[in-house]
Amino acid sequence: IRESATLTRDVLEQHFNDLKGTLKKLLDERLMSLLQEVDTIEQESIKPLDECQKLIEHGVSTADDLLRDGESAVHGDVGQQNEKLCSFTKKALHIQLDSLPEVPSLVDVPCLSAQLDDCLLTILKNQIFRHGTVASRPPVQLEEFVEKPGGILVRWCKVDDDFIPQDYRLQYRKSTATHFEDVYVGSETEFIVLHIDPNVDYQFRVCARGDGRQEWSPWSVPQIGRTTLVPHEWTAGLEGYSLSSRRNIALRNDSQSCGVLYSKAPTYFCGQTLTFRQVLSGIETVGQPDRRDSLGVCVEQQNGCDSLQRDKAVCVSTNGAVFVNGKEMTNQLPAVTSGSTVTFDMEVVQLGPSSNEGGNFKLRVTISSNNREVVFDWVLDQCCVSLYFGCSFLYPGWKVLVF
């Protein structure tokens, strides 16, 4: 409670500080815009009046000069009077003292004023008083963490019966990081977070968006999840396949070389779910299928084989055929296409005291693809709870993610 209360206070203070800064900036910008408008109107309106004033002042100055010339002609010497009077008369005839420039009518002269609507404060006050809420119980909470090789399956659930979710938003961060990042947004209530480092704590939280709404709900209580399982990796260096940087994606390239690409180690254990997902390659399509193509698991690597359709292996071909120890089963799954997901689940079936002493060893295998599944018992001659996985494709373009 104290941790969430402290975090909520920090969020509220940061939000309202940002809001105050933004409002001040907007008000300052509006003030500058109005002041510039006042300056523009003043300059445009005063210009003709200034010109009129200059003309009048020039006329008055000319009249003063003429008056002084007349006084000088009248009071001057008798010998110069005629000459001065003649000059005065000529000058007076060329000056129009009875004309004035056009002065704008008073109704045409602008009179500036500021029109400010006081209702803005009322509107802002009402909006501010309704802005923000504090929720004590988020409508969704994290429910379960399931360890996966190099990942964590996160499940969440709705805890508010009156809340109708439209989308969920899952975030996570490393224990040493300061910021959460989005890892999933959608309508599902579970998601496998990949690229998780083993034996490292990660913090998760989830929120939801109500039906028809834009804003997200409050975050759930953050919880810690971790995985102790190392990530699945393909073996590097096999000609014919290119791997991603994390070696969990294999792409069948244009090389003519063929063979089975195996896992780096027997990292698949009974009781886990092994998932192959066909993802788009650069050409945005899957490769041409072949009946020898295969995705599956095996007891040991056999580098001389070009397919997993052999002894001590179970696999699915790209056309959906299921093979157990090299023999095709009558049950068939949908063909593997772009975006297809194939999962393997296995559990040990005990056959008695001799099962671990060289006798028959049986695994219950469930293979699922596109909402269909086949279940069968895989009989081996030795105890085996950790297996290799592998794939083989004859033609380029196939791109498989394993997790």
Side-chain angles (χ1 to χ4, degrees), residues 55-167:
L55 289 174
I56 293 175
E57 290 176 349
H58 177 71
V60 171
S61 176
T62 303
D64 286 341
D65 292 342
L66 185 63
L67 180 62
R68 283 192 293 271
D69 290 346
E71 290 177 348
S72 176
V74 171
H75 300 292
D77 296 337
V78 176
Q80 296 179 347
Q81 274 188 342
N82 291 334
E83 183 179 350
K84 288 184 176 181
L85 286 173
C86 183
S87 174
F88 170 78
T89 303
K90 289 180 180 180
K91 194 173 184 180
L93 291 175
H94 288 87
I95 298 176
Q96 296 181 352
L97 298 178
D98 58 348
S99 65
L100 290 173
E102 183 179 359
V103 179
S105 173
L106 187 61
V107 297
D108 296 330
V109 177
C111 180
L112 281 73
S113 62
Q115 304 298 312
L116 301 174
D117 192 351
D118 292 337
C119 72
L120 176 62
L121 293 176
T122 303
I123 295 173
L124 287 175
K125 181 179 178 181
N126 293 333
Q127 291 294 329
I128 290 173
F129 283 169
R130 290 198 301 265
H131 181 66
T133 57
V134 176
S136 59
R137 296 187 182 275
V140 291
Q141 292 286 4
L142 295 169
E143 184 178 31
E144 184 182 17
F145 297 101
V146 180
E147 292 185 57
K148 296 290 182 179
I152 300 175
L153 172 61
V154 184
R155 292 193 176 104
W156 54 90
C157 62
K158 187 182 70 159
V159 295
D160 185 351
D161 294 336
D162 297 328
F163 184 79
I164 302 176
Q166 174 181 311
D167 292 307

